[in-house]
Amino acid sequence: MLSEGMNRRKFLRVLGVTGGGATALSGCSTDNVEKLIPYLVPPDNKVPGVASWFASTCRECPAGCGFHVRVREGRAVKVEGNPNNPINQGKLCSRGQAATQGLYNPDRVREPLARAADGSYQPISWDDAIARVGERLGTTAAERVWFVMGNEAGSFDTLVTEWLAAMGANPRVVYEPFGYEALRHANRAVFGTDALPSYDLATARYVLSFGADFLETWLSPVEQAQHFAAGHSYHDGEMGRYVHVEPRMSMTGMSADEWIAPIPGSEGKLALGIAHVIARDQLASLPSDILRVQRLLDEHDPATVSAATGVSTETVERLAHEFTEHASVAVAGGVGAQHDEAHFTAAAVNILNYVAGNVGKTVTFGVDLNPAGESSYASIASLVSAMGAQRVGVLFVHGANPAYTTPGGLGFAAAMRGVDFKVSFARFIDETAAEADLILPDHDPLEQWNDFEPRVGAHTLQQPVMQPVFDSRQTGDVLLEIAAQLGGPVAGTFTATNYKEYLQARWQNIQRQLTDRSAFETFWTNSLQQGGVWTAPPTRQVRLAAGAATAAGETWSAPGGEEFTLIAYPSSALFDGRGANRPWLQELPDPVTKVTWNSCLEINPERAAELGIAEGDVIEVTSAHGTVTVPAYLYPGLRRDVVAMPIGQGHSEFGRYAKDVGASAFDLLDSQATEFGGMGHYAVVSLRSTNRHVRLANPEGRNRQMGRGIAQATTLAALAHPEEHDEEEHGAHAAPVPEHIEQILEEWQQAQYEEWRQRGNYAVEDLPNWAMTVDLSRCTGCSACVTACYSENNIPTVGPELMIRERGMAWMRIERYFEGGEGEEPLETRFLPMMCQQCNNAPCEPVCPVFAAYHTPDGLNGQIYNRCVGTRYCSNNCPYKVRYFNWFDHSNANDAVFSWPDPLRWLLNPDVTVRSKGVMEKCTFCIQRIRGKQNEAKISGEAIGDGDIVTACQQTCPSDAIVFGDINDPNSRVRALSQDGTRGYAVLGGLNTRPSVTYLKKVRNVSTD
């Protein structure tokens, strides 16, 4: 009950003034939103300053994570993971956090476009556009109509299938660049099913990856990161062990306790060698049908495997014993490890899991993950052949960009030019849309009704969270309008007049399948509020197929001499290139190389020195299929005979943020489909120096700690038996602080709050003291926290030139350090998230001449933007270098190098000040969230509980590495973790800055052999 004198409208008005809090999660769309500007007279269900939240589904990759969209005054301003969704459970990756930059991207197609006689695009009306399509379909033979689409598993996929069938046209061609064809082929050969299983990384205490980047792009990375952190991170004296086998140490491999770099393409041989030892020594309860693969295993004894892989026999024996000592799982099929014989590797790993008894335990079939739909590269190659043979008269393209994501030698764009009539539903003029005759822009996923089925039993919903930004139209509605125009049996196939009706009809079937007896409106509303419906599918048993023994055995033919094996791997941020037009993702340092706004060729430093190649030298990379020019990056996490290049850059179209940035690794790959129907991501290349040099936009600084103990680590054995192991040595940073200095500091801090205490009659010790802990044993370096911070705090991107000049504005960065790697010493990588440490003896505060930097009574290092005059004394005095100076007014398009062009500025969070030129800025532990929750508590009279306030970085972190709270609360998680006497430490703690951020040492479960 509200108190007297406080009616509902007054309560919400007061709450809105605070800028904090959100209404209950809404399950209704914002169809009644009238304008995308603040309301002078708001509707009853809209209060200025109070956010509405809508559940929807992330479509930035095929994983199908659920998220909640924060809407203020009709504008979507932030996305967060949906905790109800079993796939991501409230977490989100960098690509998901950048979804609003697709919604408000200034390079979106704003209305239907038709190609004019001079080759340019001219706007036309929707009625004219649909009439043109209907007229062309009416004069084209049905067998000459083709439809290419990405993975749209769900109602839209069904609509397209029915629409094509009603016309008698060819079945739709599904194309996802990462189709997992090798893994499906291996499952079919070994187990008789091409379904993708679920891998239980949480239960497994031993994870063995053969090139699967399960923390980056493989299958469902956010879900897998959560499970991996649960099973692998240190907790109560226990943790799992992770071994990564791949010629290149990926970001996923950087989290491994051991990295093994075999001869490229020989990973399957190693898997069979491990299985051989398990069967030979009967290290596990062997399956009854092992005789089907016994001969294959006999051929892969450790000595033979060692000669083929370059891995010692001792290591093969050891891995076999370790793999069977605990619950284990082996994974393979990563796109970056997809060479021409990748299906043999995946089949060998299947056999290893089967021999070890993992199938049915940590590897379960029945869930049937669906990250690529029915996609295969072979199908898109067949379409190119059909276009070349003039068998395609009308081509529709939706949700795919095959002109970019296929090798240049395939010639998709050239073949497309020979088609009489091409229609694209792209939201951007990408490489494929640029060849179209008609562009009918689809709604952004945040503007449309839709659903998605990322796996069996998971039905997720999308709903429009705001009115369309431009004059786009949902493709489902367009197809239904075209069907109505065609008339006859095509029109009679569909009873729905719009796509929402079609979607709801499908969901009525889902309700019946679930035996839900409530009214459909109730079921529909509840599903919208939750973000979908989920059921646990029954698992099914699989056995070895008759031909399993012939499914594995071959290896990639690695080159010798001066040639290299090139690994083209997917970018953890840009995915297959679809994220390249998001400036947040372009400016996000790659977790491995730390390079932004460019491509690079990774090469082993020792091999580079022999070839006279320095970092930044521009190298011409040539394969039998093409040539690209790219700067070199020296990376120790590579074999000497391997070079690597990320996929995602090198667009010739796709808007201002992507066009002509970097080079495309697809141009180096073979256009011929492999035996398993996929595209090979390995190539044999030669290198030639161009005698040019560029400076990479790389903010990493030094990649070694120089003994300063910034990112500290220990081992599981050292924690269990500290008396038997020496701690890492770190150089001294400062002399001990004299006691009288400590007393002076205490008196000075008390004096700061004297006036405040007298005015409020409070004691400082009664206030909260906000603090944070970061568990380095959980941090995988994925950088989702960095993008979440950009989105929450209106941080501008500055572009490649200013990044080269080290003027990036990120309030939070992921520092990456290498240890070892010299001689026989194994290479180790450590990640450390670095943000403002909120020092209780902050060096920045006393040097500010205008007191813009100050300490709040609740322990925050505040920054008053209106008071700052830009002396930068605070930055000079900060040992952590976490304060950033605005060299440009990013809200002014005439001043900023990279500004907020309309409508991109619509994503700005209204709760956070947009800083201007000449102002210092930094992390404040999301103070707007703290103050908003405090104001809510003041109105409601309820105390703030532990976990009620969540920072943006903490909220999105897939591995739950970040914990925030009140360190004065004796029952808070942050207090318990910060008091960890064995792992807790402060970065540069010897400087007596008294940080409020406590780091927990990374724990490595290294082999004791």
Side-chain angles (χ1 to χ4, degrees):
M1 295 293 291
L2 296 176
S3 60
E4 292 186 26
M6 177 69 77
N7 58 31
R8 176 178 178 274
R9 182 170 289 277
K10 184 176 180 181
F11 170 82
L12 292 175
R13 188 183 303 120
V14 172
L15 184 60
V17 170
T18 69
T23 60
L25 184 65
S26 174
C28 303
S29 81
T30 53
D31 290 340
N32 60 344
V33 173
E34 297 173 357
K35 294 183 179 180
L36 294 175
I37 59 175
Y39 301 110
L40 297 178
V41 181
D44 285 340
N45 63 336
K46 296 289 185 298
V47 180
V50 178
S52 299
W53 292 86
F54 298 90
S56 192
T57 302
C58 179
R59 299 307 311 276
E60 297 302 304
C61 84
C65 295
F67 58 26
H68 291 161
V69 185
R70 182 172 180 255
V71 178
R72 281 285 299 272
E73 288 77 64
R75 292 185 298 118
V77 297
K78 185 71 170 67
V79 294
E80 302 288 2
N82 180 356
N84 294 323
N85 190 297
I87 295 174
N88 58 315
Q89 298 180 37
K91 305 299 182 179
L92 216 55
C93 69
S94 289
R95 298 188 295 275
Q97 289 289 343
T100 53
Q101 289 207 318
L103 172 66
Y104 298 122
N105 197 292
D107 297 317
R108 279 184 65 182
V109 179
R110 307 189 174 207
E111 56 196 335
L113 299 176
R115 191 179 295 280
D118 61 359
S120 64
Y121 282 115
Q122 300 297 325
I124 61 174
S125 69
W126 274 104
D127 290 342
D128 186 9
I130 292 172
R132 293 190 188 193
V133 176
E135 179 181 351
R136 185 59 67 107
L137 288 175
T139 59
T140 303
E143 65 271 14
R144 301 185 72 232
V145 177
W146 293 69
F147 198 115
V148 179
M149 61 190 298
N151 181 18
E152 293 284 350
S155 297
F156 181 73
D157 184 72
T158 303
L159 173 64
V160 172
T161 300
E162 293 176 349
W163 188 77
L164 292 170
M167 290 189 295
N170 294 281
R172 83 275 190 270
V173 176
V174 179
Y175 181 60
E176 282 285 341
F178 304 155
Y180 304 98
E181 297 96 338
L183 190 54
R184 292 184 185 278
H185 186 282
N187 291 345
R188 185 165 56 250
V190 177
F191 297 129
T193 175
D194 61 359
L196 298 182
S198 174
Y199 300 91
D200 191 350
L201 302 180
T203 301
R205 310 305 292 169
Y206 194 96
V207 178
L208 184 56
S209 173
F210 294 86
D213 61 330
F214 55 82
L215 299 178
E216 299 165 76
T217 61
W218 188 69
L219 299 180
S220 184
V222 173
E223 177 183 22
Q224 289 157 178
Q226 291 179 289
H227 294 172
F228 174 73
H232 179 266
S233 61
Y234 177 81
H235 182 69
D236 290 340
E238 296 182 357
M239 66 180 297
R241 176 164 159 77
Y242 168 38
V243 177
H244 189 81
V245 180
E246 190 179 13
R248 171 185 179 268
M249 182 189 284
S250 62
M251 186 201 88
T252 303
M254 286 179 164
S255 293
D257 299 298
E258 182 180 1
W259 169 53
I260 298 174
I263 294 172
S266 67
E267 299 91 342
K269 294 285 189 181
L270 179 58
L272 291 175
I274 297 171
H276 168 96
V277 176
I278 294 174
R280 182 198 67 192
D281 298 346
Q282 296 189 2
L283 301 178
S285 179
L286 301 179
S288 58
D289 54 353
I290 193 174
L291 291 178
R292 288 187 172 182
V293 294
Q294 187 64 58
R295 183 176 178 181
L296 176 67
L297 297 182
D298 291 342
E299 294 172 352
H300 290 82
D301 60 276
T304 302
V305 167
S306 178
T309 64
V311 179
S312 68
T313 57
E314 293 79 10
T315 299
V316 176
E317 298 272 0
R318 173 174 57 83
L319 291 176
H321 283 79
E322 290 178 351
F323 193 69
T324 52
E325 287 175 357
H326 306 282
S328 62
V329 64
V331 292
V335 175
Q338 187 168 294
H339 44 80
D340 290 350
E341 282 75 38
H343 56 308
F344 291 125
T345 300
V349 172
N350 280 344
I351 293 172
L352 171 59
N353 276 319
Y354 193 77
V355 170
N358 294 333
V359 176
K361 297 177 181 177
T362 56
V363 181
T364 54
F365 286 84
V367 176
D368 295 356
L369 306 181
N370 189 29
E374 300 173 18
S375 171
S376 76
Y377 174 73
S379 64
I380 207 73
S382 298
L383 173 60
V384 171
S385 298
M387 290 191 291
Q390 304 297 312
R391 290 190 286 112
V392 182
V394 177
L395 177 66
F396 296 94
V397 183
H398 178 278
N401 185 14
Y404 168 78
T405 56
T406 56
L410 184 65
F412 187 93
M416 191 175 173
R417 296 184 194 114
V419 177
D420 294 337
F421 190 65
K422 293 89 64 180
V423 180
S424 171
F425 299 101
R427 292 177 288 131
F428 307 91
I429 300 182
D430 55 29
E431 287 79 359
T432 305
E435 303 295 337
D437 300 302
L438 196 62
I439 301 178
L440 308 180
D442 193 10
H443 283 339
D444 185 87
L446 294 176
E447 300 169 331
Q448 64 180 230
W449 290 104
N450 217 335
D451 63 357
F452 188 57
E453 298 174 18
R455 62 185 56 179
V456 171
H459 304 274
T460 64
L461 273 169
Q462 295 170 237
Q463 60 177 317
V465 303
M466 58 181 287
Q467 277 193 338
V469 178
F470 300 117
D471 185 21
S472 56
R473 189 172 293 186
Q474 186 153 1
T475 302
D477 288 325
V478 174
L479 295 182
L480 290 173
E481 290 184 55
I482 293 172
Q485 181 173 329
L486 292 175
V490 178
T493 302
F494 305 100
T495 58
T497 58
N498 58 61
Y499 184 69
K500 182 181 178 182
E501 289 182 7
Y502 183 89
L503 176 68
Q504 289 181 319
R506 285 257 304 167
W507 275 72
Q508 288 174 349
N509 292 332
I510 293 174
Q511 183 184 16
R512 284 191 289 269
Q513 293 170 9
L514 296 175
T515 64
D516 186 304
R517 301 185 182 279
S518 62
F520 176 71
E521 284 301 320
T522 301
F523 171 77
W524 176 252
T525 301
N526 291 340
S527 299
L528 283 177
Q529 289 178 339
Q530 184 173 270
V533 292
W534 304 277
T535 58
T539 60
R540 65 176 184 272
Q541 297 296 319
V542 295
R543 307 292 295 178
L544 286 179
T550 63
E554 298 298 324
T555 60
W556 160 262
S557 299
E562 295 300 314
E563 292 184 317
F564 294 82
T565 295
L566 169 77
I567 299 176
Y569 65 90
S571 165
S572 61
L574 307 184
F575 199 61
D576 58 4
R578 69 186 68 182
N581 65 346
R582 272 71 159 165
W584 282 343
L585 299 182
Q586 284 282 11
E587 200 147 300
L588 180 68
D590 181 88
V592 175
T593 66
K594 294 301 174 184
V595 171
T596 67
W597 291 103
N598 208 340
S599 303
C600 65
L601 181 75
E602 300 169 17
I603 182 170
N604 181 280
E606 294 180 0
R607 189 68 185 274
E610 295 172 1
L611 298 175
I613 296 175
E615 188 161 299
D617 286 354
V618 180
I619 305 299
E620 185 179 87
V621 186
T622 303
S623 74
H625 318 291
T627 299
V628 301
T629 303
V630 64
Y633 176 81
L634 307 188
Y635 175 43
L638 282 173
R639 285 178 54 97
R640 289 170 51 87
D641 54 353
V642 169
V643 293
M645 184 175 171
I647 292 169
Q649 301 282 26
H651 287 270
S652 60
E653 299 289 344
F654 208 31
R656 70 192 73 181
Y657 302 114
K659 186 176 181 180
D660 299 328
V661 176
S664 175
F666 286 112
D667 292 340
L668 297 170
L669 304 182
D670 191 351
S671 62
Q672 295 297 316
T674 60
E675 181 181 338
F676 53 84
M679 179 200 316
H681 283 250
Y682 276 25
V684 177
V685 299
S686 59
L687 310 183
R688 186 184 71 83
S689 175
T690 64
N691 296 318
R692 292 190 292 118
H693 183 87
V694 298
R695 185 177 175 187
L696 292 169
N698 183 341
E700 76 169 320
R702 288 187 178 271
N703 59 21
R704 300 280 177 168
Q705 299 186 68
M706 311 301 289
R708 293 172 295 173
I710 297 171
Q712 299 183 21
T714 185
T715 65
L716 183 63
L719 290 175
H721 304 286
E723 70 283 354
E724 300 177 6
H725 298 80
D726 296 329
E727 283 293 318
E728 286 186 342
E729 294 185 4
H730 307 298
H733 307 300
V737 180
E739 292 185 7
H740 71 280
I741 297 296
E742 295 278 359
Q743 182 179 355
I744 292 173
L745 174 62
E746 292 291 341
E747 293 175 353
W748 179 75
Q749 289 180 334
Q750 291 292 326
Q752 288 189 85
Y753 310 130
E754 184 62 34
E755 181 181 351
W756 180 88
R757 287 203 310 271
Q758 293 177 357
R759 183 172 64 249
N761 194 27
Y762 293 110
V764 174
E765 53 270 19
D766 293 336
L767 285 171
N769 192 337
W770 304 113
M772 180 177 285
T773 61
V774 182
D775 190 343
L776 302 185
S777 189
R778 284 180 168 268
C779 179
T780 63
C782 73
S783 303
C785 54
V786 177
T787 309
C789 184
Y790 266 89
S791 179
E792 173 71 20
N793 294 294
N794 300 337
I795 300 175
T797 51
V798 300
E801 297 302 322
L802 289 185
M803 287 298 291
I804 290 174
R805 298 170 67 182
E806 300 181 0
R807 292 182 177 177
M809 298 298 296
W811 288 4
M812 187 175 190
R813 63 181 185 266
I814 304 295
E815 297 184 352
R816 187 263 294 118
Y817 296 104
F818 296 122
E819 297 288 334
E822 300 174 356
E824 297 298 322
E825 189 178 6
L827 182 68
E828 177 198 345
T829 310
R830 302 179 188 179
F831 291 112
L832 181 134
M834 176 57 67
M835 69 296 288
C836 176
Q837 301 290 289
Q838 312 296 334
C839 303
N840 289 292
N841 184 23
C844 56
E845 294 173 11
V847 298
C848 180
V850 293
F851 208 54
Y854 74 106
H855 216 72
T856 68
D858 49 357
L860 298 177
N861 176 229
Q863 179 75 11
I864 304 176
Y865 301 129
N866 289 344
R867 186 178 282 174
C868 179
V869 295
T871 63
R872 290 180 282 161
Y873 295 163
C874 56
S875 180
N876 292 337
N877 223 32
C878 175
Y880 305 101
K881 298 306 172 190
V882 288
R883 306 179 72 91
Y884 305 93
F885 182 73
N886 276 280
W887 294 91
F888 296 92
D889 185 356
H890 295 276
S891 62
N892 185 343
N894 295 322
D895 182 48
V897 176
F898 263 64
S899 59
W900 300 104
D902 284 335
L904 194 60
R905 70 178 66 229
W906 294 358
L907 60 74
L908 295 174
N909 184 356
D911 291 339
V912 179
T913 302
V914 178
R915 287 75 61 189
S916 59
K917 180 167 57 177
V919 171
M920 296 295 305
E921 58 182 69
K922 66 169 194 70
C923 164
T924 58
F925 279 171
C926 291
I927 193 171
Q928 68 279 3
R929 296 190 176 200
I930 297 173
R931 297 296 181 247
K933 186 63 68 173
Q934 287 174 330
N935 287 330
E936 283 185 54
K938 185 179 296 185
I939 292 175
S940 65
E942 298 179 359
I944 298 176
D946 185 41
D948 286 351
I949 301 176
V950 180
T951 61
C953 57
Q954 175 190 10
Q955 188 163 14
T956 199
C957 179
S959 56
D960 199 25
I962 301 172
V963 175
F964 172 80
D966 176 14
I967 203 169
N968 284 345
D969 180 357
N971 299 316
S972 65
R973 284 185 66 200
V974 72
R975 182 179 179 119
L977 292 172
S978 65
Q979 292 178 343
D980 188 331
T982 57
R983 296 175 58 209
Y985 73 99
V987 171
L988 304 181
L991 298 181
N992 195 38
T993 55
R994 299 184 177 184
S996 293
V997 179
T998 301
Y999 292 90
L1000 303 181
K1001 295 178 183 179
K1002 179 179 180 179
V1003 183
R1004 301 175 59 237
N1005 190 354
V1006 297
S1007 174
T1008 57
D1009 292 349

